[in-house]
Amino acid sequence: MYPQPRQDYVSISFAGQRSGNYNNSKQWRRQSCWRKWKQLSRLQRSLILFIFVLLFICGIVSYPAVTAHLRGPVEREQDTDSSVVQRPVIPHVLPEPVVMGQPLLPEQPSQRKLSNRRGPPILQNRLLKKGNTSDTMVKDKAAARKNGREEEGVISWHGAVIDTEQVTEDTVDTEDLRRNKEVLSKESEAIWLEAVREAFRHAWKGYKDFAWGHDELRPISKSYSEWFGLGLTLIDALDTMWILGLKDEFEEAKAWVATELTFNKNVDVNLFETTIRILGGLLSTYHLTGDTMFLDKAKDIGSRLMPAFNTPSKIPFSDVNIGKGTAHPPRWTSDSTVAEVTSIQLEFRELSRLTQQPQYEAVVAEVMKQVHKLDGKLDGLVPMFINTNNGQFTHQGIYTLGARADSYYEYLLKQWIQGGKKENQLLEDYLQAIEGVKKNLLQKSSPNGLTFVGELSHGQFSPKMDHLVCFLPGTLALGAHNGLPADHMDLAKKLMETCYQMYVQMETGLSPEIVHFNMHQGSTRDIDVKLADRHNLLRPETAESLFYLYRFTKDHKYQAWGWEILQNFNKYTKVSSGGYTSINNVCDPDYPSPRDKMESFFLGETLKYLYLLFSDDPNLISLDQYVFNTEAHPLPIWPSTV
């Protein structure tokens, strides 16, 4: 008999299961763990929770020390090093050049929504530290890295991917370091200059494609607008192209001037604007190139402007018909603005010198002679309007260095320089006016004490400052360079800081047309901007003064400020199809509201001054040989006849 077969498995059933198979689901396991947790006493549960919390807190406290130890001594030294050099690793993206011994380029967040208020924190940092700009900015970047806000390979707001490399004087021979600095400086200069050339080419492309031969480009609508019908932008930009070395663009513009430009037109033009933009532009281009065609054109337009001076008072009318040879005041008044009639002298004086025809200089000299002896001034400050019939100031009691008066003060100094520093009456009027500014118009803002130039209206001070006033730092610096009191340079530097803050405290990094400064104790920010004043017209005055301050001081922070301004023009005003546009709202980075107009002075002045600012060649339009008119056209300082 064989034994009965033995079963070699055991069957087990679990109650409560919906099938006979073992269920290892997460839900079942969670229920089991929860039962075990509930079986513990309240004291046991509290003790376990306390231990977990304690371990978590200890981990947080010890984390920085552990990570610093793991990074090692090299990275800790890099965090505090002030000689960090940044280099772009994407060659086709415009980099941010940073040179040892020079300031780091301005840095902004890649998303402005993270911080809509640009200015006050930056300003407080700058005013508190008062040290070398480059040291301050490097330390700020090192602190940012410590806090985890900056890592290697981060895309900056300019769009360049950057990394960091430590270079210290401890590890580099002093002579090698000096040579490295020189090489890096030249590389940075080349990058900055090419950036301005590229901006000009882009602006010129829009003008050439959509507005060729017309006055101004409308880049949004890809069209043009006419003011005088004389190719205003093209003539204004001639000497800029020559200075920037854009020879192809210059030659095509020169061909248009030679074959297409004619002043034999039945059209009214503004005496002041035509003088500074067209006459000044042609004279400047003649001096730079030696081409007499430009001088012939200058003679033509100069002679056609002369009827403006046929007035009872010898104070010129504002408007001239260059085809008919007639002139008249505006339809609504018999007044001319003081700035306009006193800011045409450089150009007419130079035209007389070149043509040996004294009538041009004579008519503008008569204007200055009459304004010099007029009543109605306040400590050398002049009202804004003058009557063409009786030659007297009108609307008296209002004094400003902004619109309608600004370039009067500029041309007092520049005529004195142009003529070889011999015309003492001009110098006396200038020095008296600067003292008048200090006495009546100079104040400081709250809370950070920015020095600014306000306005006076019938004895009442207004903390209003036009962007136009930002010509003043450069003019003061030019005077100090030519032997005027040293405190003029001190004031120039303070006002330069203020003009820069008019940019940096705006959400787009671009200055509005007009600002109002807070003067009340307890103010939280220095600058307020009214709704109607938030536009930016691509104006040049701040770039102009930055150029003068850098040329005379060699302080690289002025180049860094100019670079930041150029980048913000590129970010908020550049039109993809060509050209740049003025904008309506510098306080809204999401929609700055383009105005669809590129003023001729953007090419004639703004980009020219930025290019000269970025150049380290003091002989590129030497300020000992040339004086700039108020439209940035360089005219020669007359040789001494002694």
Side-chain angles (χ1 to χ4, degrees):
M1 290 179 65
Y2 294 99
Q4 217 171 7
R6 186 178 59 189
Q7 289 182 332
D8 45 17
Y9 68 91
V10 178
S11 176
I12 300 175
S13 298
F14 289 88
Q17 300 279 107
R18 282 180 290 185
S19 68
N21 296 328
Y22 173 67
N23 187 345
N24 191 30
S25 69
K26 291 182 180 179
Q27 180 180 4
W28 184 85
R29 279 182 286 162
R30 282 197 300 269
Q31 290 173 351
S32 176
C33 292
W34 179 248
R35 278 200 305 272
K36 292 181 181 295
W37 174 256
K38 295 294 288 185
Q39 287 172 0
L40 298 175
S41 68
R42 180 176 297 176
L43 179 61
Q44 290 172 319
R45 292 199 299 266
S46 299
L47 184 61
I48 292 171
L49 289 174
F50 175 76
I51 291 171
F52 274 116
V53 171
L54 185 62
L55 289 173
F56 180 72
I57 293 173
C58 291
I60 292 176
V61 172
S62 62
Y63 177 76
V66 173
T67 55
H69 176 73
L70 292 175
R71 287 203 316 265
V74 175
E75 288 198 13
R76 286 197 296 274
E77 288 177 8
Q78 285 180 340
D79 283 344
T80 57
D81 179 54
S82 63
S83 299
V84 177
V85 179
Q86 298 183 352
R87 293 190 177 92
V89 298
I90 295 185
H92 65 276
V93 177
L94 183 64
E96 302 176 299
V98 179
V99 181
M100 297 177 341
Q102 296 185 8
L104 287 169
L105 293 177
E107 181 176 70
Q108 295 182 355
S110 57
Q111 293 182 351
R112 288 197 175 273
K113 290 184 178 179
L114 297 178
S115 176
N116 279 340
R117 295 295 178 188
R118 294 168 42 93
I122 300 173
L123 172 62
Q124 290 160 12
N125 261 348
R126 183 174 294 106
L127 295 179
L128 286 174
K129 295 185 179 179
K130 292 289 185 184
N132 182 278
T133 304
S134 59
D135 293 341
T136 300
M137 299 184 77
V138 173
K139 288 174 183 176
D140 289 345
K141 288 175 73 66
R145 288 197 296 274
K146 283 184 178 179
N147 292 328
R149 294 195 300 268
E150 180 176 279
E151 299 175 359
E152 286 190 33
V154 173
I155 298 179
S156 74
W157 79 284
H158 293 309
V161 177
I162 58 177
D163 59 10
T164 58
E165 174 185 342
Q166 183 183 14
V167 179
T168 68
E169 296 196 15
D170 296 334
T171 59
V172 181
D173 179 81
T174 303
E175 185 63 22
D176 289 341
L177 182 62
R178 184 188 63 79
R179 286 195 294 267
N180 287 339
K181 286 182 178 181
E182 291 176 356
V183 171
L184 290 171
S185 177
K186 289 297 181 183
E187 290 177 354
S188 300
E189 180 185 358
I191 290 169
W192 290 334
L193 295 177
E194 183 55 33
V196 180
R197 289 192 198 97
E198 181 55 36
F200 187 98
R201 290 189 194 101
H202 186 80
W204 188 252
K205 177 184 182 300
Y207 178 76
K208 184 179 177 181
D209 289 348
F210 309 120
W212 184 251
H214 298 285
D215 282 342
E216 291 171 331
L217 168 67
R218 298 181 62 193
I220 305 297
S221 58
K222 300 180 181 179
S223 58
Y224 60 86
S225 60
E226 295 286 36
W227 192 2
F228 309 139
L230 300 176
L232 201 57
T233 293
L234 188 149
I235 298 174
D236 224 358
L238 283 169
D239 56 4
T240 305
M241 288 182 275
W242 186 266
I243 292 169
L244 269 60
L246 301 175
K247 298 301 172 63
D248 292 340
E249 291 84 352
F250 177 82
E251 289 299 328
E252 62 186 357
K254 172 186 170 182
W256 183 88
V257 172
T259 60
E260 301 293 331
L261 177 62
T262 176
F263 299 122
N264 188 23
K265 289 186 174 183
N266 180 17
V267 59
D268 282 356
V269 302
N270 178 272
L271 170 67
F272 166 71
E273 298 291 356
T274 305
T275 299
I276 64 170
R277 302 193 198 205
I278 296 179
L279 178 57
L282 292 170
L283 289 172
S284 172
T285 307
Y286 163 69
H287 281 295
L288 293 175
T289 66
D291 191 326
T292 56
M293 182 269 291
F294 295 109
L295 178 57
D296 292 338
K297 295 288 184 179
K299 293 176 185 176
D300 188 8
I301 187 62
S303 64
R304 292 173 183 273
L305 294 174
M306 287 294 283
F309 297 90
N310 295 330
T311 69
S313 65
K314 305 303 179 184
I315 301 297
F317 288 130
S318 63
D319 299 298
V320 189
N321 188 302
I322 56 175
K324 292 182 178 180
T326 58
H328 58 86
R331 290 187 299 273
W332 57 89
T333 180
S334 59
D335 292 346
S336 290
T337 66
V338 172
E340 291 188 354
V341 301
T342 58
S343 303
I344 54 180
Q345 279 68 19
L346 291 178
E347 299 82 357
F348 275 88
R349 282 158 51 112
E350 178 62 15
L351 187 59
S352 269
R353 190 177 75 91
L354 291 173
T355 62
Q356 296 299 305
Q357 297 178 17
Q359 67 268 25
Y360 302 115
E361 181 176 3
V363 291
V364 294
E366 180 65 25
V367 175
M368 297 306 298
K369 188 184 300 182
Q370 291 200 40
V371 171
H372 169 74
K373 63 186 181 183
L374 279 179
D375 295 328
K377 297 179 185 176
L378 175 67
D379 300 316
L381 304 176
V382 295
M384 295 187 293
F385 296 96
I386 188 168
N387 189 273
T388 54
N389 292 320
N390 59 28
Q392 300 296 311
F393 289 132
T394 62
H395 300 80
Q396 295 189 34
I398 301 175
Y399 303 97
T400 176
L401 262 72
R404 300 188 177 92
D406 51 350
S407 48
Y408 161 73
Y409 306 100
E410 175 189 357
Y411 267 42
L412 286 175
L413 176 68
K414 289 183 174 179
Q415 287 179 78
W416 177 70
I417 294 172
Q418 180 192 43
K421 306 179 187 178
K422 298 174 182 176
E423 298 157 287
N424 292 331
Q425 178 182 300
L426 295 168
L427 177 61
E428 291 169 5
D429 286 350
Y430 174 75
L431 291 173
Q432 185 183 11
I434 298 304
E435 292 305 310
V437 170
K438 294 178 184 178
K439 178 180 177 181
N440 299 286
L441 303 183
L442 214 58
Q443 291 288 348
K444 289 191 175 182
S445 67
S446 178
N448 290 297
L450 294 175
T451 301
F452 69 94
V453 179
E455 297 183 353
L456 201 64
S457 178
H458 305 289
Q460 296 295 314
F461 181 81
S462 169
K464 168 182 175 284
M465 180 169 161
D466 294 3
H467 182 274
L468 287 168
V469 181
C470 287
F471 84 91
L472 186 57
T475 299
L476 288 167
L478 179 63
H481 175 71
N482 282 276
L484 301 191
D487 67 345
H488 286 204
M489 180 61 82
D490 297 334
L491 179 56
K493 292 176 181 179
K494 293 176 183 178
L495 291 173
M496 191 74 264
E497 171 75 30
T498 301
C499 289
Y500 173 60
Q501 288 300 325
M502 289 166 62
Y503 283 77
V504 79
Q505 292 200 32
M506 298 301 111
E507 287 79 355
T508 60
L510 294 174
S511 173
E513 181 74 357
I514 299 170
V515 301
H516 288 76
F517 288 90
N518 289 315
M519 297 175 61
H520 305 292
Q521 294 297 324
S523 299
T524 58
R525 58 182 297 170
D526 295 82
I527 295 174
D528 284 332
V529 187
K530 295 184 178 181
L531 189 62
D533 302 331
R534 294 182 176 182
H535 50 288
N536 181 288
L537 304 181
L538 311 173
R539 284 200 186 276
E541 287 77 21
T542 294
E544 172 185 359
S545 287
L546 286 172
F547 157 63
Y548 282 109
L549 266 293
Y550 178 69
R551 183 66 71 90
F552 297 138
T553 69
K554 293 302 178 184
D555 189 334
H556 292 287
K557 74 179 180 182
Y558 299 121
Q559 288 184 317
W561 294 356
W563 178 256
E564 182 179 354
I565 290 170
L566 176 60
Q567 296 293 6
N568 289 328
F569 277 135
N570 282 330
K571 186 170 185 179
Y572 294 105
T573 71
K574 188 175 183 179
V575 180
S576 60
S577 58
Y580 289 73
T581 181
S582 50
I583 58 176
N584 278 315
N585 193 351
V586 298
C587 299
D588 188 350
D590 295 322
Y591 185 65
S593 182
R595 279 191 161 198
D596 195 20
K597 185 175 184 179
M598 184 176 77
E599 300 276 357
S600 78
F601 52 64
F602 182 65
L603 298 184
E605 298 187 72
T606 308
L607 292 181
K608 182 188 297 167
Y609 279 129
L610 287 172
Y611 188 85
L612 293 171
L613 166 65
F614 296 148
S615 172
D616 279 323
D617 181 3
N619 295 316
L620 182 62
I621 314 299
S622 168
L623 292 175
D624 294 321
Q625 298 176 4
Y626 289 93
V627 60
F628 286 90
N629 84 338
T630 197
E631 190 73 9
H633 297 304
L635 300 172
I637 296 172
W638 298 348
S640 175
T641 57
V642 178

